Amino acid sequence: MKNERSISAFTRARAVIAGGVNSPVRAFKAVGGSPIFFKSGSGAYLRDLNDREYLDFVLSWGPLIVGHAHPAVVKAIASAAQRGSSFGAPTEAESELAEIIVGMMPSIERIRFVSSGTEATMSAIRLARGFTRRPKIVKFAGCYHGHADPFLIAAGSGALTAGVPSSPGVTEGTARDTVVVPFNDADAVARAFDAHPDAIAAVVVEPYAGNMGLVPPRPGYLAQLRAACDRHGALLVFDEAMTGFRVARGGAQALADVRPDLTTLGKAIGGGLPVGAFGGRADVMAYLAPDGPVYQAGTLSGNPLAMAAGIATLKLVRDDATLYERLGVLTQLLTDGLEAVFEKHGIAHQTARAGSMFGVFFAPEPVHDLTGAMRADTKLFAAFFHAMLDRGIYLAPSQFETGFVSSAHTTADIERTLAAADAALAEARTVGPQSNQPPSPR
Ligand SMILES: *Cc1c(COP(=O)(O)O)cnc(C)c1O
């Protein structure tokens, strides 16, 4: 069997690791089958335990914008490791990465580094609550902000009812302070502010929703959020953990020309090592300890290896004047090509692209929110996913995830992918696996 080593590796993992994985989406629950275990990556390609090669459109869920094991990144990490892996004291590398980020994202006047996107969003809302002295946050159905309790809330029956925890272990008390409204509906946000006067500390949004598939904002929507926050004295928090340095050089805030009060980052800023960050207005960030009263800390925050990987990656991004243009052209080639293939096979589809991010829904109607995303055909996607995997193309193992292209991908890679999609669909339409799963956090 072609995946026999991955299958036995998964059996081994399941005996000692909860569910066999350290993040749920890796287990392939949404597409069925057994996850592939990888042993190496180089450029746009991954190699599994059976020495099969795959063209990678997951890229560690976004961080690897310059591909796997880029020589400059490897060199930076190795040389940092030689100088010592952690000091628990400040290093100049932290200021260097901060300067690069602040230079590319001007709304960030002060920043703080943490070790994951989850920590970034969790810390940002504590800060927003401390700064505004208000208890509640608004989030959008289908947006993912990591796995901290206040974000693991799904909408109740009505958009304005108090949230209901979407995971056991999240208390009703926590859920009450999270107001969930539909994405891309400015009126729903206005109603949330009216229903909770002077109680909303922040509106937290993925400016391009990337965790229910890829759902771009409607034109003007992000500016409407900005105006609503200004009207009601709440902070606007853009969670750019995924979109930061992905949709454009300055992130989604540059594309939309909207200045959030706080921004959270992750993924690409660590170049494949564990880094997150939050930052924004200097007066708000001044509320953080040690200058201010809001506590936030981390033993390994600003870790020298992670800073080195981030600096090397973002320098490659910053200093390559045509990078975003090239990534955009490649990604567009992919989405245009996929549309042509889907049309040829008579399959209802919606594709989306933002910079080097792309998404496909097997759905007949345009998707603007979670309700629309959930209408997508998950059975067809599961069949398509496995047929692509058989042809050496590694897509995210769920339709409700975003795909990524790196600077290591080539036109030939995209053409190979489109040919594989054509053959895969011919096959996928005749078979049909399992499962109808809601978006699953990684
Ligand atoms: C990935 C992601 C997170 C969480 O980051 P982790 O590093 O997985 O904790 C938060 N917000 C968004 C928008 C993300 O895409």
Side-chain angles (χ1 to χ4, degrees):
M1 221 178 354
K2 59 186 185 296
N3 297 331
E4 61 187 10
R5 289 184 186 218
S6 289
I7 290 167
S8 58
F10 194 45
T11 304
R12 175 187 173 191
R14 287 179 63 86
V16 283
I17 294 172
V21 291
N22 288 305
S23 204
V25 74
R26 296 179 195 172
F28 275 28
K29 291 272 191 210
V31 291
S34 192
I36 308 295
F37 278 56
F38 295 106
K39 64 179 185 190
S40 65
S42 176
Y45 284 82
L46 285 165
R47 184 176 291 275
D48 77 5
L49 296 185
N50 280 80
D51 274 321
R52 289 189 75 216
E53 270 208 332
Y54 301 82
L55 179 57
D56 184 14
F57 288 104
V58 180
L59 296 168
S60 190
W61 303 95
L64 304 178
I65 191 163
V66 296
H68 292 273
H70 189 290
V73 179
V74 172
K75 191 173 156 214
I77 296 170
S79 108
Q82 257 154 8
R83 294 191 300 271
S85 57
S86 186
F87 311 120
T91 64
E92 288 190 310
E94 293 157 79
S95 302
E96 188 176 358
L97 184 56
E99 285 159 4
I100 294 172
I101 293 172
V102 169
M104 294 172 80
M105 236 179 222
S107 77
I108 300 182
E109 296 168 349
R110 299 284 186 282
I111 196 167
R112 181 158 287 174
F113 290 111
V114 291
S115 299
S116 68
T118 294
E119 262 188 278
T121 56
M122 180 185 91
S123 307
I125 59 159
R126 183 182 307 129
L127 177 59
R129 286 166 162 164
F131 181 80
T132 59
R133 299 180 195 282
R134 293 174 175 188
K136 292 185 191 293
I137 58 164
V138 170
K139 82 170 279 285
F140 299 90
C143 280
Y144 179 69
H145 304 289
H147 66 92
D149 286 5
F151 295 112
L152 288 184
I153 318 291
S157 49
L160 297 179
T161 57
V164 176
S166 59
S167 165
V170 177
T171 64
E172 280 171 31
T174 295
R176 260 198 296 279
D177 283 333
T178 299
V179 181
V180 182
V181 300
F183 187 65
N184 262 330
D185 179 350
D187 291 343
V189 174
R191 286 196 300 273
F193 273 113
D194 289 343
H196 305 282
D198 299 326
I200 293 171
V203 171
V204 185
V205 66
E206 284 184 79
Y208 282 68
N211 286 284
M212 51 173 151
L214 178 57
V215 183
R218 292 183 196 269
Y221 176 65
L222 298 172
Q224 288 171 319
L225 295 183
R226 176 70 275 175
C229 286
D230 289 344
R231 205 173 303 128
H232 295 279
L235 299 186
L236 178 61
V237 182
F238 274 9
D239 182 1
E240 298 225 41
M242 183 184 291
T243 54
F245 308 102
R246 269 287 174 192
V247 298
R249 195 172 289 278
Q253 51 198 270
L255 262 190
D257 195 20
V258 172
R259 191 177 173 102
D261 300 296
L262 293 175
T263 299
T264 53
L265 296 168
K267 300 198 168 90
I269 65 162
L273 267 70
V275 187
F278 63 104
R281 273 168 50 185
D283 61 328
V284 178
M285 293 298 286
Y287 263 65
L288 272 185
D291 288 352
V294 174
Y295 192 70
Q296 188 280 330
T299 302
L300 293 174
S301 292
N303 173 266
L305 270 60
M307 295 296 105
I311 292 165
T313 300
L314 289 191
K315 272 188 178 164
L316 289 166
V317 167
R318 183 193 62 189
D319 299 341
D320 183 342
T322 61
L323 175 73
Y324 286 92
E325 198 186 315
R326 292 194 327 268
L327 286 173
V329 166
L330 274 184
T331 312
Q332 180 98 49
L333 192 65
L334 178 64
T335 50
D336 285 355
L338 286 174
E339 285 190 5
V341 172
F342 297 149
E343 260 149 47
K344 174 181 163 189
H345 290 269
I347 290 169
H349 64 274
Q350 309 294 327
T351 63
R353 177 184 85 83
S356 53
M357 293 165 48
F358 67 92
V360 170
F361 290 112
F362 291 132
E365 303 288 332
V367 175
H368 298 295
D369 56 20
L370 183 61
T371 309
M374 295 308 288
R375 291 196 196 106
D377 183 342
T378 53
K379 285 199 180 76
L380 177 59
F381 179 81
F384 178 61
F385 168 84
H386 281 290
M388 291 295 271
L389 196 63
D390 286 346
R391 288 164 178 80
I393 310 289
Y394 191 66
L395 301 172
S398 162
Q399 187 167 203
F400 305 113
E401 300 287 353
T402 290
F404 299 94
V405 173
S406 77
S407 59
H409 286 70
T410 63
T411 305
D413 287 331
I414 303 298
E415 281 163 0
R416 201 165 78 72
T417 305
L418 297 174
D422 189 15
L425 278 174
E427 179 187 303
R429 301 220 68 189
T430 61
V431 295
Q434 49 259 312
S435 138
N436 207 333
Q437 295 255 339
S440 61
R442 65 191 51 74

